Amino acid sequence: MSDLLTLKLIKDLKDQVSETSKQIGPQGPVGPAGPTGAQGPQGQEGKPGPMGERGPEGPAGPDGKDGLDGEDGRSVDSVSQAADGDLIFHLSDGTESVVELPYGLSTASDGPTVVNMQQTARPAPSDSGYEFTGGFAERTTGQSGANDLGSSVQYTQQQANDRVWKRFGFSTAQQLANDVEYWGETREGFEQTKGLMGGLNMPKGFNNLFLFDDTALSSAVTSGDLQYTAADGSYDLSDCQQGDRVLVRFSFNVVPQVANTTLEVGLLFATRDSSDNVTFTFPLTAQPIFYGTGTQGKAYLNRVEMSAYIASPEDINSRSLPAIRADNPILIQPLTTLISVVR
């Protein structure tokens, strides 16, 4: 066979094989599904659709249960005026509300005015309360419930030079003479020896707020940076509790004898340990009072308030009295003091 014929046969065979490979056979069965691919990123949020129409209003629900009854209201049965001028509103539920008389005003010269005075039931003692007295040892004239002038006491030039605190002590004899109730008190528990209010307005659990004859710290101190005069008595804080706040108001007349005099007023306070030893003594002072040109020889009424907080047993066991100090000689008339315990 010639070479040309052989090549032709080979070519024809290749063409047949190539033509055969191009033929598509029948589709085979579907194979098993492959594993799920990873989740693609979230697409952008579409625009909100239009709001649908509001449906009809449903029927009203049943009425709720009645609430609890409120407290009864209060009204004013009567109004009276206390010894220091404060107005006392006696309410229909047996309690009282006190409104202090504005500074510079006082009760009438013929005594306090009582409007529609009615005897009211004594309210239950509260956690806060007060007592009031004019039982100063050096107030030998006038009474606590009147506008009588007190007894003039000289604060000397020597005391001014030495920067001495003049203390105002108490006395049982003067307390009984000066603290005379004038409104016909008949409530149970009234004891005039406790003060003008007879102990009825003291805080719950208190027996006294004054020690009229206490002599624990009666001696004078005549040397050192803190000098003060002798005086008996003390405010009684023995029934206080830690956390109480004590307010002391001292009312007095003062007559400057020299123009441009500065007067200091304070509560001379001495803390004591459980053995009654003094641990600290210091004045709790109010804002100084200045009497300028033209004031000498004129009498001025002052009602000065000092405060103290009860932070420890030594405060509860303390002794204290009101006191004054000036840079020039003055005349002073101690009148009354009001002590309040606030909780």
mmCIF file of all heavy atoms in Angstrom, residues 241-284:
data_model
loop_
_atom_site.group_PDB
_atom_site.id
_atom_site.type_symbol
_atom_site.label_atom_id
_atom_site.label_comp_id
_atom_site.label_asym_id
_atom_site.label_seq_id
_atom_site.Cartn_x
_atom_site.Cartn_y
_atom_site.Cartn_z
ATOM 1 N N GLN A 241 -30.188 63.407 121.068
ATOM 2 C CA GLN A 241 -29.588 62.259 120.384
ATOM 3 C C GLN A 241 -28.597 62.777 119.352
ATOM 4 O O GLN A 241 -28.713 63.909 118.867
ATOM 5 C CB GLN A 241 -30.658 61.425 119.683
ATOM 6 C CG GLN A 241 -31.724 60.868 120.597
ATOM 7 C CD GLN A 241 -32.835 60.180 119.816
ATOM 8 O OE1 GLN A 241 -32.763 60.026 118.608
ATOM 9 N NE2 GLN A 241 -33.877 59.773 120.524
ATOM 10 N N GLN A 242 -27.603 61.950 119.034
ATOM 11 C CA GLN A 242 -26.658 62.330 117.988
ATOM 12 C C GLN A 242 -27.414 62.524 116.674
ATOM 13 O O GLN A 242 -28.207 61.682 116.268
ATOM 14 C CB GLN A 242 -25.574 61.261 117.841
ATOM 15 C CG GLN A 242 -24.618 61.227 119.026
ATOM 16 C CD GLN A 242 -23.607 60.100 118.926
ATOM 17 O OE1 GLN A 242 -23.532 59.255 119.826
ATOM 18 N NE2 GLN A 242 -22.827 60.076 117.869
ATOM 19 N N GLY A 243 -27.176 63.649 116.036
ATOM 20 C CA GLY A 243 -27.899 64.007 114.823
ATOM 21 C C GLY A 243 -28.898 65.118 115.034
ATOM 22 O O GLY A 243 -29.393 65.700 114.066
ATOM 23 N N ASP A 244 -29.215 65.433 116.304
ATOM 24 C CA ASP A 244 -30.127 66.545 116.585
ATOM 25 C C ASP A 244 -29.467 67.871 116.241
ATOM 26 O O ASP A 244 -28.244 68.010 116.271
ATOM 27 C CB ASP A 244 -30.534 66.558 118.062
ATOM 28 C CG ASP A 244 -31.484 65.435 118.417
ATOM 29 O OD1 ASP A 244 -32.007 64.794 117.494
ATOM 30 O OD2 ASP A 244 -31.687 65.190 119.623
ATOM 31 N N ARG A 245 -30.288 68.865 115.953
ATOM 32 C CA ARG A 245 -29.815 70.243 115.758
ATOM 33 C C ARG A 245 -30.489 71.113 116.806
ATOM 34 O O ARG A 245 -31.708 71.044 116.988
ATOM 35 C CB ARG A 245 -30.139 70.735 114.349
ATOM 36 C CG ARG A 245 -29.551 72.096 114.018
ATOM 37 C CD ARG A 245 -29.528 72.317 112.511
ATOM 38 N NE ARG A 245 -30.871 72.304 111.951
ATOM 39 C CZ ARG A 245 -31.555 73.399 111.656
ATOM 40 N NH1 ARG A 245 -31.038 74.588 111.875
ATOM 41 N NH2 ARG A 245 -32.758 73.315 111.124
ATOM 42 N N VAL A 246 -29.696 71.927 117.486
ATOM 43 C CA VAL A 246 -30.190 72.773 118.569
ATOM 44 C C VAL A 246 -30.136 74.229 118.123
ATOM 45 O O VAL A 246 -29.104 74.701 117.636
ATOM 46 C CB VAL A 246 -29.349 72.573 119.844
ATOM 47 C CG1 VAL A 246 -29.806 73.540 120.942
ATOM 48 C CG2 VAL A 246 -29.446 71.135 120.328
ATOM 49 N N LEU A 247 -31.251 74.935 118.277
ATOM 50 C CA LEU A 247 -31.332 76.364 117.972
ATOM 51 C C LEU A 247 -31.622 77.113 119.266
ATOM 52 O O LEU A 247 -32.556 76.766 120.001
ATOM 53 C CB LEU A 247 -32.440 76.635 116.957
ATOM 54 C CG LEU A 247 -32.348 75.886 115.623
ATOM 55 C CD1 LEU A 247 -33.564 76.193 114.753
ATOM 56 C CD2 LEU A 247 -31.079 76.251 114.886
ATOM 57 N N VAL A 248 -30.828 78.133 119.539
ATOM 58 C CA VAL A 248 -30.993 78.942 120.751
ATOM 59 C C VAL A 248 -31.194 80.394 120.334
ATOM 60 O O VAL A 248 -30.353 80.964 119.623
ATOM 61 C CB VAL A 248 -29.773 78.829 121.680
ATOM 62 C CG1 VAL A 248 -29.897 79.817 122.835
ATOM 63 C CG2 VAL A 248 -29.642 77.412 122.224
ATOM 64 N N ARG A 249 -32.310 80.980 120.752
ATOM 65 C CA ARG A 249 -32.549 82.396 120.507
ATOM 66 C C ARG A 249 -32.424 83.145 121.824
ATOM 67 O O ARG A 249 -33.054 82.780 122.820
ATOM 68 C CB ARG A 249 -33.935 82.620 119.900
ATOM 69 C CG ARG A 249 -34.160 84.063 119.435
ATOM 70 C CD ARG A 249 -35.483 84.211 118.741
ATOM 71 N NE ARG A 249 -36.604 84.116 119.666
ATOM 72 C CZ ARG A 249 -37.867 83.925 119.273
ATOM 73 N NH1 ARG A 249 -38.158 83.786 118.004
ATOM 74 N NH2 ARG A 249 -38.832 83.862 120.174
ATOM 75 N N PHE A 250 -31.618 84.198 121.813
ATOM 76 C CA PHE A 250 -31.368 85.022 122.999
ATOM 77 C C PHE A 250 -31.906 86.421 122.722
ATOM 78 O O PHE A 250 -31.485 87.092 121.778
ATOM 79 C CB PHE A 250 -29.869 85.057 123.293
ATOM 80 C CG PHE A 250 -29.467 85.896 124.463
ATOM 81 C CD1 PHE A 250 -30.269 85.995 125.594
ATOM 82 C CD2 PHE A 250 -28.257 86.596 124.454
ATOM 83 C CE1 PHE A 250 -29.889 86.771 126.679
ATOM 84 C CE2 PHE A 250 -27.869 87.368 125.539
ATOM 85 C CZ PHE A 250 -28.679 87.454 126.655
ATOM 86 N N SER A 251 -32.880 86.855 123.537
ATOM 87 C CA SER A 251 -33.493 88.173 123.368
ATOM 88 C C SER A 251 -33.016 89.089 124.489
ATOM 89 O O SER A 251 -33.048 88.718 125.669
ATOM 90 C CB SER A 251 -35.020 88.063 123.403
ATOM 91 O OG SER A 251 -35.485 87.247 122.347
ATOM 92 N N PHE A 252 -32.595 90.303 124.115
ATOM 93 C CA PHE A 252 -32.067 91.230 125.103
ATOM 94 C C PHE A 252 -32.151 92.663 124.567
ATOM 95 O O PHE A 252 -32.201 92.901 123.361
ATOM 96 C CB PHE A 252 -30.611 90.899 125.442
ATOM 97 C CG PHE A 252 -29.692 90.901 124.259
ATOM 98 C CD1 PHE A 252 -29.003 92.048 123.874
ATOM 99 C CD2 PHE A 252 -29.514 89.746 123.497
ATOM 100 C CE1 PHE A 252 -28.158 92.044 122.774
ATOM 101 C CE2 PHE A 252 -28.670 89.743 122.401
ATOM 102 C CZ PHE A 252 -27.986 90.894 122.034
ATOM 103 N N ASN A 253 -32.160 93.630 125.495
ATOM 104 C CA ASN A 253 -32.003 95.034 125.153
ATOM 105 C C ASN A 253 -30.557 95.439 125.396
ATOM 106 O O ASN A 253 -29.931 94.968 126.366
ATOM 107 C CB ASN A 253 -32.919 95.917 126.018
ATOM 108 C CG ASN A 253 -34.386 95.735 125.685
ATOM 109 O OD1 ASN A 253 -34.759 95.611 124.529
ATOM 110 N ND2 ASN A 253 -35.236 95.711 126.715
ATOM 111 N N VAL A 254 -30.033 96.303 124.529
ATOM 112 C CA VAL A 254 -28.674 96.791 124.718
ATOM 113 C C VAL A 254 -28.676 98.308 124.536
ATOM 114 O O VAL A 254 -29.371 98.858 123.676
ATOM 115 C CB VAL A 254 -27.692 96.118 123.736
ATOM 116 C CG1 VAL A 254 -28.031 96.430 122.296
ATOM 117 C CG2 VAL A 254 -26.266 96.520 124.043
ATOM 118 N N VAL A 255 -27.914 98.990 125.397
ATOM 119 C CA VAL A 255 -27.755 100.443 125.325
ATOM 120 C C VAL A 255 -26.273 100.735 125.112
ATOM 121 O O VAL A 255 -25.476 100.636 126.066
ATOM 122 C CB VAL A 255 -28.265 101.132 126.607
ATOM 123 C CG1 VAL A 255 -28.094 102.660 126.495
ATOM 124 C CG2 VAL A 255 -29.706 100.765 126.891
ATOM 125 N N PRO A 256 -25.853 101.069 123.897
ATOM 126 C CA PRO A 256 -24.438 101.421 123.682
ATOM 127 C C PRO A 256 -24.082 102.688 124.462
ATOM 128 O O PRO A 256 -24.877 103.630 124.548
ATOM 129 C CB PRO A 256 -24.356 101.657 122.170
ATOM 130 C CG PRO A 256 -25.575 101.007 121.595
ATOM 131 C CD PRO A 256 -26.626 101.107 122.650
ATOM 132 N N GLN A 257 -22.905 102.708 125.017
ATOM 133 C CA GLN A 257 -22.444 103.893 125.743
ATOM 134 C C GLN A 257 -21.395 104.672 124.960
ATOM 135 O O GLN A 257 -21.048 105.790 125.332
ATOM 136 C CB GLN A 257 -21.892 103.474 127.113
ATOM 137 C CG GLN A 257 -22.967 102.872 128.014
ATOM 138 C CD GLN A 257 -22.439 102.458 129.355
ATOM 139 O OE1 GLN A 257 -21.834 101.404 129.495
ATOM 140 N NE2 GLN A 257 -22.657 103.296 130.368
ATOM 141 N N VAL A 258 -20.906 104.074 123.893
ATOM 142 C CA VAL A 258 -19.928 104.710 123.020
ATOM 143 C C VAL A 258 -20.356 104.431 121.585
ATOM 144 O O VAL A 258 -20.751 103.310 121.250
ATOM 145 C CB VAL A 258 -18.504 104.153 123.263
ATOM 146 C CG1 VAL A 258 -17.496 104.801 122.314
ATOM 147 C CG2 VAL A 258 -18.087 104.365 124.713
ATOM 148 N N ALA A 259 -20.311 105.452 120.728
ATOM 149 C CA ALA A 259 -20.645 105.258 119.318
ATOM 150 C C ALA A 259 -19.635 104.330 118.655
ATOM 151 O O ALA A 259 -18.482 104.216 119.088
ATOM 152 C CB ALA A 259 -20.675 106.608 118.598
ATOM 153 N N ASN A 260 -20.079 103.685 117.590
ATOM 154 C CA ASN A 260 -19.232 102.770 116.815
ATOM 155 C C ASN A 260 -18.751 101.602 117.679
ATOM 156 O O ASN A 260 -17.567 101.292 117.750
ATOM 157 C CB ASN A 260 -18.033 103.508 116.203
ATOM 158 C CG ASN A 260 -18.471 104.622 115.271
ATOM 159 O OD1 ASN A 260 -19.444 104.469 114.525
ATOM 160 N ND2 ASN A 260 -17.778 105.747 115.322
ATOM 161 N N THR A 261 -19.714 100.953 118.328
ATOM 162 C CA THR A 261 -19.444 99.790 119.168
ATOM 163 C C THR A 261 -19.860 98.525 118.424
ATOM 164 O O THR A 261 -20.939 98.458 117.835
ATOM 165 C CB THR A 261 -20.215 99.886 120.497
ATOM 166 O OG1 THR A 261 -19.693 100.973 121.263
ATOM 167 C CG2 THR A 261 -20.109 98.598 121.303
ATOM 168 N N THR A 262 -19.007 97.525 118.476
ATOM 169 C CA THR A 262 -19.315 96.220 117.885
ATOM 170 C C THR A 262 -19.619 95.234 119.000
ATOM 171 O O THR A 262 -18.823 95.066 119.938
ATOM 172 C CB THR A 262 -18.148 95.705 117.038
ATOM 173 O OG1 THR A 262 -17.909 96.617 115.964
ATOM 174 C CG2 THR A 262 -18.466 94.329 116.454
ATOM 175 N N LEU A 263 -20.767 94.574 118.891
ATOM 176 C CA LEU A 263 -21.219 93.611 119.898
ATOM 177 C C LEU A 263 -21.221 92.218 119.299
ATOM 178 O O LEU A 263 -21.785 91.988 118.227
ATOM 179 C CB LEU A 263 -22.624 93.969 120.374
ATOM 180 C CG LEU A 263 -23.307 92.991 121.338
ATOM 181 C CD1 LEU A 263 -22.581 92.965 122.672
ATOM 182 C CD2 LEU A 263 -24.772 93.361 121.531
ATOM 183 N N GLU A 264 -20.596 91.272 119.979
ATOM 184 C CA GLU A 264 -20.622 89.861 119.584
ATOM 185 C C GLU A 264 -21.581 89.114 120.505
ATOM 186 O O GLU A 264 -21.593 89.344 121.723
ATOM 187 C CB GLU A 264 -19.230 89.240 119.685
ATOM 188 C CG GLU A 264 -18.198 89.827 118.737
ATOM 189 C CD GLU A 264 -16.835 89.213 118.964
ATOM 190 O OE1 GLU A 264 -16.554 88.153 118.358
ATOM 191 O OE2 GLU A 264 -16.062 89.784 119.757
ATOM 192 N N VAL A 265 -22.361 88.212 119.949
ATOM 193 C CA VAL A 265 -23.304 87.393 120.709
ATOM 194 C C VAL A 265 -23.016 85.936 120.377
ATOM 195 O O VAL A 265 -22.835 85.590 119.200
ATOM 196 C CB VAL A 265 -24.761 87.738 120.362
ATOM 197 C CG1 VAL A 265 -25.724 86.941 121.237
ATOM 198 C CG2 VAL A 265 -25.011 89.228 120.502
ATOM 199 N N GLY A 266 -22.970 85.090 121.391
ATOM 200 C CA GLY A 266 -22.659 83.688 121.128
ATOM 201 C C GLY A 266 -23.209 82.763 122.190
ATOM 202 O O GLY A 266 -23.718 83.203 123.238
ATOM 203 N N LEU A 267 -23.112 81.493 121.891
ATOM 204 C CA LEU A 267 -23.451 80.435 122.843
ATOM 205 C C LEU A 267 -22.129 79.853 123.327
ATOM 206 O O LEU A 267 -21.404 79.215 122.558
ATOM 207 C CB LEU A 267 -24.299 79.366 122.144
ATOM 208 C CG LEU A 267 -24.802 78.206 122.994
ATOM 209 C CD1 LEU A 267 -25.790 78.696 124.042
ATOM 210 C CD2 LEU A 267 -25.448 77.148 122.108
ATOM 211 N N LEU A 268 -21.779 80.132 124.586
ATOM 212 C CA LEU A 268 -20.511 79.635 125.126
ATOM 213 C C LEU A 268 -20.696 78.167 125.480
ATOM 214 O O LEU A 268 -21.420 77.820 126.410
ATOM 215 C CB LEU A 268 -20.092 80.456 126.336
ATOM 216 C CG LEU A 268 -18.590 80.458 126.631
ATOM 217 C CD1 LEU A 268 -17.812 81.001 125.447
ATOM 218 C CD2 LEU A 268 -18.281 81.285 127.867
ATOM 219 N N PHE A 269 -20.041 77.293 124.729
ATOM 220 C CA PHE A 269 -20.328 75.860 124.709
ATOM 221 C C PHE A 269 -19.127 75.085 125.223
ATOM 222 O O PHE A 269 -17.992 75.297 124.756
ATOM 223 C CB PHE A 269 -20.637 75.453 123.262
ATOM 224 C CG PHE A 269 -21.421 74.185 123.098
ATOM 225 C CD1 PHE A 269 -22.808 74.205 123.063
ATOM 226 C CD2 PHE A 269 -20.775 72.975 122.945
ATOM 227 C CE1 PHE A 269 -23.533 73.036 122.888
ATOM 228 C CE2 PHE A 269 -21.484 71.800 122.769
ATOM 229 C CZ PHE A 269 -22.874 71.835 122.738
ATOM 230 N N ALA A 270 -19.351 74.180 126.178
ATOM 231 C CA ALA A 270 -18.284 73.351 126.737
ATOM 232 C C ALA A 270 -18.683 71.881 126.635
ATOM 233 O O ALA A 270 -19.652 71.457 127.269
ATOM 234 C CB ALA A 270 -18.010 73.727 128.190
ATOM 235 N N THR A 271 -17.950 71.100 125.844
ATOM 236 C CA THR A 271 -18.210 69.668 125.745
ATOM 237 C C THR A 271 -17.539 68.945 126.916
ATOM 238 O O THR A 271 -16.511 69.393 127.437
ATOM 239 C CB THR A 271 -17.679 69.112 124.418
ATOM 240 O OG1 THR A 271 -16.276 69.409 124.297
ATOM 241 C CG2 THR A 271 -18.409 69.748 123.240
ATOM 242 N N ARG A 272 -18.127 67.802 127.319
ATOM 243 C CA ARG A 272 -17.598 67.056 128.467
ATOM 244 C C ARG A 272 -17.596 65.564 128.155
ATOM 245 O O ARG A 272 -18.491 65.051 127.470
ATOM 246 C CB ARG A 272 -18.437 67.317 129.718
ATOM 247 C CG ARG A 272 -18.578 68.791 130.081
ATOM 248 C CD ARG A 272 -19.148 68.968 131.482
ATOM 249 N NE ARG A 272 -20.386 68.223 131.685
ATOM 250 C CZ ARG A 272 -20.975 68.057 132.866
ATOM 251 N NH1 ARG A 272 -20.420 68.551 133.956
ATOM 252 N NH2 ARG A 272 -22.104 67.397 132.966
ATOM 253 N N ASP A 273 -16.580 64.856 128.700
ATOM 254 C CA ASP A 273 -16.512 63.412 128.500
ATOM 255 C C ASP A 273 -17.430 62.696 129.492
ATOM 256 O O ASP A 273 -18.160 63.337 130.263
ATOM 257 C CB ASP A 273 -15.067 62.917 128.587
ATOM 258 C CG ASP A 273 -14.438 63.166 129.952
ATOM 259 O OD1 ASP A 273 -15.178 63.359 130.946
ATOM 260 O OD2 ASP A 273 -13.185 63.160 130.031
ATOM 261 N N SER A 274 -17.372 61.364 129.486
ATOM 262 C CA SER A 274 -18.273 60.573 130.336
ATOM 263 C C SER A 274 -17.997 60.753 131.824
ATOM 264 O O SER A 274 -18.825 60.404 132.671
ATOM 265 C CB SER A 274 -18.174 59.089 129.967
ATOM 266 O OG SER A 274 -16.837 58.633 130.108
ATOM 267 N N SER A 275 -16.809 61.314 132.166
ATOM 268 C CA SER A 275 -16.473 61.593 133.570
ATOM 269 C C SER A 275 -16.714 63.050 133.931
ATOM 270 O O SER A 275 -16.257 63.516 134.984
ATOM 271 C CB SER A 275 -15.003 61.227 133.831
ATOM 272 O OG SER A 275 -14.780 59.846 133.605
ATOM 273 N N ASP A 276 -17.414 63.775 133.057
ATOM 274 C CA ASP A 276 -17.766 65.191 133.260
ATOM 275 C C ASP A 276 -16.554 66.108 133.208
ATOM 276 O O ASP A 276 -16.617 67.251 133.704
ATOM 277 C CB ASP A 276 -18.530 65.403 134.576
ATOM 278 C CG ASP A 276 -19.891 64.731 134.566
ATOM 279 O OD1 ASP A 276 -20.387 64.429 133.474
ATOM 280 O OD2 ASP A 276 -20.458 64.514 135.658
ATOM 281 N N ASN A 277 -15.474 65.653 132.602
ATOM 282 C CA ASN A 277 -14.317 66.522 132.396
ATOM 283 C C ASN A 277 -14.517 67.326 131.112
ATOM 284 O O ASN A 277 -14.905 66.769 130.078
ATOM 285 C CB ASN A 277 -13.025 65.706 132.283
ATOM 286 C CG ASN A 277 -12.736 64.908 133.537
ATOM 287 O OD1 ASN A 277 -12.753 65.453 134.637
ATOM 288 N ND2 ASN A 277 -12.475 63.614 133.385
ATOM 289 N N VAL A 278 -14.239 68.627 131.164
ATOM 290 C CA VAL A 278 -14.391 69.477 129.987
ATOM 291 C C VAL A 278 -13.324 69.104 128.963
ATOM 292 O O VAL A 278 -12.135 68.988 129.285
ATOM 293 C CB VAL A 278 -14.273 70.960 130.365
ATOM 294 C CG1 VAL A 278 -14.279 71.837 129.127
ATOM 295 C CG2 VAL A 278 -15.409 71.357 131.289
ATOM 296 N N THR A 279 -13.752 68.900 127.720
ATOM 297 C CA THR A 279 -12.814 68.562 126.643
ATOM 298 C C THR A 279 -12.523 69.763 125.742
ATOM 299 O O THR A 279 -11.375 69.994 125.374
ATOM 300 C CB THR A 279 -13.373 67.405 125.796
ATOM 301 O OG1 THR A 279 -14.710 67.713 125.375
ATOM 302 C CG2 THR A 279 -13.396 66.111 126.600
ATOM 303 N N PHE A 280 -13.536 70.531 125.390
ATOM 304 C CA PHE A 280 -13.355 71.737 124.582
ATOM 305 C C PHE A 280 -14.348 72.802 125.059
ATOM 306 O O PHE A 280 -15.482 72.494 125.417
ATOM 307 C CB PHE A 280 -13.597 71.466 123.092
ATOM 308 C CG PHE A 280 -12.652 70.463 122.483
ATOM 309 C CD1 PHE A 280 -13.043 69.135 122.329
ATOM 310 C CD2 PHE A 280 -11.387 70.837 122.077
ATOM 311 C CE1 PHE A 280 -12.193 68.212 121.777
ATOM 312 C CE2 PHE A 280 -10.521 69.917 121.517
ATOM 313 C CZ PHE A 280 -10.917 68.601 121.365
ATOM 314 N N THR A 281 -13.914 74.065 125.018
ATOM 315 C CA THR A 281 -14.801 75.195 125.293
ATOM 316 C C THR A 281 -14.637 76.213 124.177
ATOM 317 O O THR A 281 -13.510 76.584 123.842
ATOM 318 C CB THR A 281 -14.466 75.852 126.642
ATOM 319 O OG1 THR A 281 -14.535 74.862 127.679
ATOM 320 C CG2 THR A 281 -15.455 76.968 126.954
ATOM 321 N N PHE A 282 -15.749 76.683 123.620
ATOM 322 C CA PHE A 282 -15.673 77.593 122.481
ATOM 323 C C PHE A 282 -16.990 78.359 122.356
ATOM 324 O O PHE A 282 -18.047 77.877 122.782
ATOM 325 C CB PHE A 282 -15.408 76.827 121.181
ATOM 326 C CG PHE A 282 -16.251 75.597 121.012
ATOM 327 C CD1 PHE A 282 -17.505 75.664 120.416
ATOM 328 C CD2 PHE A 282 -15.804 74.367 121.477
ATOM 329 C CE1 PHE A 282 -18.287 74.530 120.271
ATOM 330 C CE2 PHE A 282 -16.578 73.226 121.343
ATOM 331 C CZ PHE A 282 -17.821 73.306 120.729
ATOM 332 N N PRO A 283 -16.955 79.562 121.770
ATOM 333 C CA PRO A 283 -18.195 80.313 121.536
ATOM 334 C C PRO A 283 -18.759 79.996 120.156
ATOM 335 O O PRO A 283 -18.042 80.022 119.156
ATOM 336 C CB PRO A 283 -17.728 81.773 121.613
ATOM 337 C CG PRO A 283 -16.303 81.737 121.174
ATOM 338 C CD PRO A 283 -15.753 80.376 121.532
ATOM 339 N N LEU A 284 -20.046 79.684 120.093
ATOM 340 C CA LEU A 284 -20.757 79.526 118.823
ATOM 341 C C LEU A 284 -21.429 80.862 118.537
ATOM 342 O O LEU A 284 -22.471 81.181 119.098
ATOM 343 C CB LEU A 284 -21.782 78.398 118.928
ATOM 344 C CG LEU A 284 -21.197 77.003 119.188
ATOM 345 C CD1 LEU A 284 -22.296 76.001 119.500
ATOM 346 C CD2 LEU A 284 -20.382 76.535 118.002
#
